[in-house]
Amino acid sequence: MAMEHRSSTFEFVTAEKVLSVLSYKLLIDAVERGLGLFSKSKSSSGQDANRSSVDQPVRTTVAVPNKGFLGCMPVYIEADELLVTKLVTFFPKNENVPTHNAVVAVFHANTGVPRAFLDGDTITTRRTAAASVVATKHLANGKPTVLAILGSGTQAASHYEAFCETFSSLKQVRVWNHKPERAKEFANKDERRHNCVACESVEDAVRGADVIVTVTSSSSPVLMAQWVKPGAHINGVGACRPEWAEIDPNLMRSAVVYVDSREGALQESGDVLLSKAEVYAEIGEVVNGTKTAHTDKTTVFKSLGMAVEDAVAAKIVLDELGL
Ligand SMILES: NC(=O)C1=CN([C@@H]2O[C@H](COP(=O)(O)OP(=O)(O)OC[C@H]3O[C@@H](n4cnc5c(N)ncnc54)[C@H](O)[C@@H]3O)[C@@H](O)[C@H]2O)C=CC1
Ligand SMILES: O=C([O-])C1=[NH+]CCC1
């Protein structure tokens, strides 16, 4: 039998199309379920009727010296028959092009034939904020009224949007950037950011805040323990390499630390490795009810990003577009 030429049988889904259907409403529920499936896959036996099977190795990376890295993030989610990999680059010194660039490839799980390629920047941007929202829903101490965002780039914007959409209790969002004019630009971007104020210092931004999001490209701590209100919840989203940190090691050691993947954190997170903080749980274990949400204590969700989040986001896009 002659081999069929298949190169034109899969779709490319553009950023515009991804954004048109990937709402936070759908995404937050899907990411929450994905985080739960991921954590369940390692703790349940094959006999368990609720067993889930998610095969997601820690991402592999290759470095481009002094510039950045390329990460490869594959996953298979048996329950959804999703076979997906994201390829993502992070070049923190990029000035006029985005620092993160990505593509998400989806394959047919029964044949391995490519099904679709999706713009991965938009997926990364939104699913990361969705994961922080999930952690905050579980770990925040009551309804948050003050949110502090450290950093004012792509993730700062998606976190602002996702948090304001989810937490109607928010009265004020404070933003800080190491270049103060960038924080002002962020706060004044348009009238929808009426609740947003630019702060001159990290301390001004985080003092008294109920929830803090760190989304910088810094490789050394910007958030110090003495400024954080006891009982606050922190989403540590940056510092994805073992030698980088965004959070004061004293804060890491004194807080209850949750991660997306324990295995990933112990290989990739400088915030965890350099501080030698104890990892209490994966956030998926809290979602599954197998670990406690210590809402009365200061909590850190150390997010590194997982393929399972990309895969559930890609599923929403393909389902919504009927592809
Ligand atoms: N956990 C996850 O799933 C993901 C994490 N990330 C991480 O989140 C962070 C932010 O990503 P994006 O917003 O996409 O990047 P971006 O490049 O759009 O923004 C980075 C921000 O960090 C600031 N910054 C740069 N150097 C700094 C320094 N030395 N000190 C303080 N601030 C500094 C920049 O001014 C900018 O506001 C990065 O560390 C990135 O790798 C990104 C995607 C997914
Ligand atoms: O999960 C992800 O895509 C990334 N985490 C850190 C850089 C990109």
Side-chain angles (χ1 to χ4, degrees):
M1 198 172 70
M3 287 283 282
E4 230 180 293
H5 182 62
R6 291 189 312 243
S7 62
S8 58
T9 59
F10 53 81
E11 301 276 339
F12 182 79
V13 186
T14 61
E16 290 69 27
K17 279 196 174 161
V18 170
L19 288 177
S20 70
V21 291
L22 194 59
S23 68
Y24 285 114
K25 193 170 174 340
L26 294 174
L27 192 50
I28 289 164
D29 287 350
V31 166
E32 182 165 39
R33 175 176 166 272
L35 292 165
L37 286 177
F38 171 74
S39 294
K40 200 183 271 180
S41 67
K42 291 159 292 150
S43 56
S44 59
S45 81
Q47 308 306 315
D48 181 349
N50 297 315
R51 178 187 79 95
S52 93
S53 181
V54 175
D55 189 357
Q56 184 203 270
V58 176
R59 81 184 130 219
T60 49
T61 56
V62 289
V64 181
N66 302 316
K67 289 199 163 65
F69 69 80
L70 165 68
C72 179
M73 304 173 62
V75 65
Y76 175 54
I77 308 177
E78 189 182 27
D80 297 340
E81 295 195 351
L82 271 174
L83 181 61
V84 171
T85 190
K86 182 166 80 176
L87 298 171
V88 58
T89 57
F90 179 30
F91 281 54
K93 292 182 201 150
N94 282 1
E95 279 292 340
N96 298 315
V97 283
T99 51
H100 295 78
N101 292 279
V103 62
V104 174
V106 183
F107 297 84
H108 289 282
N110 52 349
T111 56
V113 170
R115 181 176 162 199
F117 280 73
L118 293 83
D119 173 81
D121 306 0
T122 43
I123 287 182
T124 304
T125 301
R126 290 203 170 174
R127 64 68 153 151
T128 307
S132 297
V133 165
V134 170
T136 305
K137 272 174 35 180
H138 287 278
L139 299 176
N141 188 3
K143 292 186 176 164
T145 58
V146 178
L147 167 69
I149 302 179
L150 307 183
S152 62
T154 304
Q155 286 295 336
S158 60
H159 277 73
Y160 176 82
E161 213 181 320
F163 275 71
C164 287
E165 201 175 303
T166 311
F167 300 104
S168 55
S169 53
L170 280 178
K171 300 261 180 290
Q172 189 183 55
V173 181
R174 305 176 190 157
V175 64
W176 168 86
N177 191 283
H178 68 310
K179 296 187 176 160
E181 69 282 2
R182 293 205 185 163
K184 284 188 193 129
E185 272 166 37
F186 184 98
N188 300 325
K189 188 160 183 277
D190 62 46
E191 70 275 7
R192 277 174 301 164
R193 296 210 175 144
H194 57 88
N195 60 352
C196 191
V197 289
C199 296
E200 291 282 327
S201 70
V202 174
E203 182 175 358
D204 286 349
V206 305
R207 273 234 189 256
D210 306 301
V211 176
I212 300 168
V213 175
T214 60
V215 274
T216 75
S217 298
S218 180
S219 52
S220 56
V222 292
L223 176 62
M224 295 301 151
Q226 64 271 25
W227 303 328
V228 175
K229 175 171 97 168
H233 170 65
I234 298 133
N235 297 290
V237 176
C240 61
R241 303 307 305 145
E243 59 285 359
W244 297 355
E246 262 185 327
I247 300 174
D248 182 350
N250 291 321
L251 178 53
M252 289 299 295
R253 283 189 293 267
S254 58
V256 186
V257 176
Y258 299 80
V259 294
D260 43 18
S261 155
R262 195 181 282 273
E263 200 187 356
L266 295 177
Q267 280 187 43
E268 288 193 316
S269 170
D271 280 312
V272 170
L273 294 166
L274 302 173
S275 68
K276 299 189 169 60
E278 185 201 337
V279 172
Y280 169 69
E282 289 180 348
I283 193 66
E285 295 176 292
V286 177
V287 170
N288 294 336
T290 54
K291 286 280 180 147
T292 305
H294 287 284
T295 53
D296 53 331
K297 302 209 170 115
T298 305
T299 49
V300 171
F301 168 52
K302 178 60 224 166
S303 159
L304 287 158
M306 301 206 296
V308 73
E309 300 161 0
D310 299 310
V312 298
K315 181 177 183 333
I316 294 175
V317 174
L318 297 184
D319 287 352
E320 292 293 305
L321 294 175
L323 295 174

